[in-house]
Amino acid sequence: MYSPLKPDLLAPKDLQTAKKILRSCVHCGFCLPTCPTYELLGNELESPRGRIYLIKQALEGHTVTQKSLGHLDRCLGCRACETACPSGVNYTQLLDIGRGFINKNVKRSVWQRGLRYSVRKILTTPKLFNTLVTVFPWLKHSAITDSEPLPCPKAGSKKIVLLSGCVQPALAPNINHSIQKILTQLDYEVIETPQIQCCGGLDQHLNAPNDALIKIKTNIDSWTQNLQQGAEAIISSASGCGIMIKDYPHLMRDDVLYYEKAKKIAAKTVDISEFLSHQDLSVFNRKNSANFPKKLSFHAPCTLQHGLGITGVVEKILVDLGYQLNSIKEAHLCCGSAGTYSIFQPKLSHELRKNKLKDLMHDQPELIVTANIGCLVHLQKTSPVHIKHWVELLTDVPPII
């Protein structure tokens, strides 16, 4: 797609990135049926192809309006279009550029600016968020399910960094607790990051790139030190955080001091499913146990299947451990959580959740499992069955000795 972009509207590297992405789009429309908002609204401007045209027109110097901003705001950022695209269009990078440019040229209302700022600060400031969860305990999804202290790692254990997340420790502390038990049993010494070390994703997606860069640099410095001290890998149990960290090299591409370090951090960061898929998990086998839910529905978060490109890994682990997984219709579509999307676009988010739960519940599972804290909390609000992070299944009952 040829586009005579105005060179004075963007920084040189953003301009080159936008040109490259726009040229790669051949307007084929393969992305349309994969787009959740297009499926719900049937409007071309609520599809990746339509949004690409909006961004193209904006960067050519055409007038942008509140409507333009609204169409971009309603994008979930699920990346399903990237999975479907035969031309390899990096829609997410173009969306970031377009949102940044249009946000500078279209002023949001005082109410919108205040809400977006408040949400960012509350979710990424542990003292504020943890206080909120304490005051409103119904926000909490789960507590630690056992009172046993974590086992001590063996002498000479290999080291691993576990990203605690900015909201997960308060909303569902059992997830990180379970992972620590699993990794310790696999002879790893776990270094859990402090809750204050947010990946920067919320700031980046809510158009606060400078705040995101501050967090990214802090994380890179801290995790580089962990790696230098012998940590083998950095493990993320929230696929939303994992895809953000994989984007660090792109976000730090203009920084000569951090770019190479960002590449190393991204390369060393793995989703917990990737890591465990290379481990001997026979000790956690449940095939001969009667006291566990055998029939499950697995919800694959967009950040896992489209962002990280991890498909079938969790499913294989669970089947190998003795669980029966239901086949999920429209498994590629977003559940409507999408970070803070459920806060700012509640109507669309609720509709997507209703559709997703209908598909997940089709074969009457005993339990639903997922791989991202945002999806978990969002779906649980109206789910007729309990929802867990899939790693919790490995520690729900005593392992086989």
Side-chain angles (χ1 to χ4, degrees):
M1 182 190 299
Y2 173 73
S3 182
L5 305 187
K6 286 198 168 185
D8 58 334
L9 297 181
L10 291 174
K13 285 198 174 181
D14 281 342
L15 182 69
Q16 291 305 313
T17 299
K19 281 184 176 180
K20 182 179 178 181
I21 296 170
L22 287 169
R23 284 172 184 156
S24 66
C25 179
V26 296
H27 201 65
C28 66
F30 279 26
C31 58
L32 269 64
T34 71
C35 178
T37 52
Y38 180 75
E39 183 177 81
L40 287 181
L41 302 172
N43 183 343
E44 174 82 9
L45 294 177
E46 302 295 350
S47 74
R49 185 169 68 180
R51 292 181 180 116
I52 286 173
Y53 263 97
L54 281 175
I55 295 169
K56 171 181 173 290
Q57 289 181 324
L59 298 181
E60 288 173 348
H62 296 279
T63 302
V64 290
T65 65
Q66 288 287 347
K67 285 187 176 181
S68 308
L69 188 58
H71 291 306
L72 298 191
D73 282 347
R74 282 187 287 276
C75 176
L76 292 129
C78 68
R79 304 193 187 203
C81 55
E82 293 183 2
T83 299
C85 181
S87 302
V89 175
N90 197 321
Y91 170 76
T92 304
Q93 288 184 9
L94 184 66
L95 182 66
D96 274 349
I97 293 171
R99 277 177 168 168
F101 176 78
I102 293 177
N103 264 288
K104 288 179 182 178
N105 290 274
V106 178
K107 193 171 183 179
R108 295 183 184 274
S109 68
V110 174
W111 161 249
Q112 281 188 324
R113 295 199 303 273
L115 179 61
R116 292 165 76 87
Y117 177 84
S118 299
V119 168
R120 274 199 310 113
K121 290 301 179 183
I122 290 171
L123 293 180
T124 61
T125 307
K127 285 184 179 179
L128 293 176
F129 186 71
N130 294 351
T131 300
L132 184 69
V133 173
T134 301
V135 174
F136 302 104
W138 51 267
L139 291 171
K140 196 167 194 171
H141 175 75
S142 65
I144 294 175
T145 55
D146 65 69
S147 57
E148 294 180 15
L150 289 168
C152 294
K154 296 178 182 178
S157 294
K158 296 165 285 187
K159 294 180 181 179
I160 209 85
V161 176
L162 173 62
L163 304 182
S164 67
C166 54
V167 300
Q168 188 163 283
L171 292 179
N174 196 51
I175 297 174
N176 289 346
H177 185 76
S178 295
I179 293 173
Q180 288 197 44
K181 289 182 70 175
I182 294 165
L183 294 176
T184 303
Q185 191 155 348
L186 294 172
D187 293 332
Y188 282 92
E189 177 187 344
V190 180
I191 305 164
E192 187 173 9
T193 63
Q195 191 180 352
I196 192 66
Q197 283 186 3
C198 172
C199 68
L202 286 170
D203 292 320
Q204 181 67 22
H205 301 317
L206 289 178
N207 198 44
N210 292 333
D211 286 359
L213 289 178
I214 291 171
K215 289 181 172 67
I216 291 169
K217 289 181 179 180
T218 300
N219 294 342
I220 290 173
D221 288 337
S222 177
W223 302 340
T224 296
Q225 187 175 10
N226 292 143
L227 294 175
Q228 291 171 344
Q229 292 171 348
E232 292 188 3
I234 302 165
I235 289 182
S236 169
S237 62
S239 54
C241 298
I243 188 56
M244 177 63 184
I245 296 166
K246 290 296 187 182
D247 282 343
Y248 277 11
H250 172 72
L251 296 170
M252 302 306 298
R253 65 194 184 281
D254 294 333
D255 194 311
V256 294
L257 295 177
Y258 280 88
Y259 176 65
E260 290 299 326
K261 290 191 286 185
K263 286 202 298 184
K264 186 169 184 179
I265 292 296
K268 287 288 186 177
T269 300
V270 294
D271 186 76
I272 183 64
S273 63
E274 290 180 288
F275 186 81
L276 292 182
S277 69
H278 298 292
Q279 308 295 318
D280 179 4
L281 301 180
S282 57
V283 69
F284 303 106
N285 195 296
R286 303 290 183 260
K287 289 181 180 177
N288 298 318
S289 173
N291 300 318
F292 77 105
K294 291 186 173 67
K295 192 174 182 182
L296 308 176
S297 285
F298 173 62
H299 165 61
C302 300
T303 43
L304 186 74
Q305 59 174 318
H306 302 307
L308 294 172
I310 299 174
T311 57
V313 176
V314 175
E315 294 91 328
K316 184 178 187 304
I317 291 174
L318 294 178
V319 169
D320 287 348
L321 292 178
Y323 294 96
Q324 175 188 336
L325 294 186
N326 293 329
S327 177
I328 309 300
K329 181 184 176 185
E330 305 280 24
H332 66 284
L333 289 178
C334 183
C335 70
S337 173
T340 57
Y341 192 88
S342 59
I343 298 174
F344 298 111
Q345 303 288 339
K347 185 176 180 181
L348 291 174
S349 177
H350 294 173
E351 189 69 19
L352 290 167
R353 179 174 60 196
K354 183 180 74 173
N355 293 343
K356 179 59 64 176
L357 283 171
K358 180 182 177 182
D359 292 337
L360 291 170
M361 290 299 302
H362 183 267
D363 290 326
Q364 300 179 323
E366 299 171 63
L367 185 71
I368 295 172
V369 292
T370 186
N372 188 57
I373 182 65
C375 302
L376 186 154
V377 173
H378 178 63
L379 289 170
Q380 187 65 79
K381 288 176 182 176
T382 56
S383 174
V385 301
H386 193 57
I387 301 179
K388 291 186 175 186
H389 193 293
W390 70 270
V391 296
E392 296 179 77
L393 298 178
L394 278 66
T395 57
D396 275 350
V397 295
I400 299 168
I401 304 298

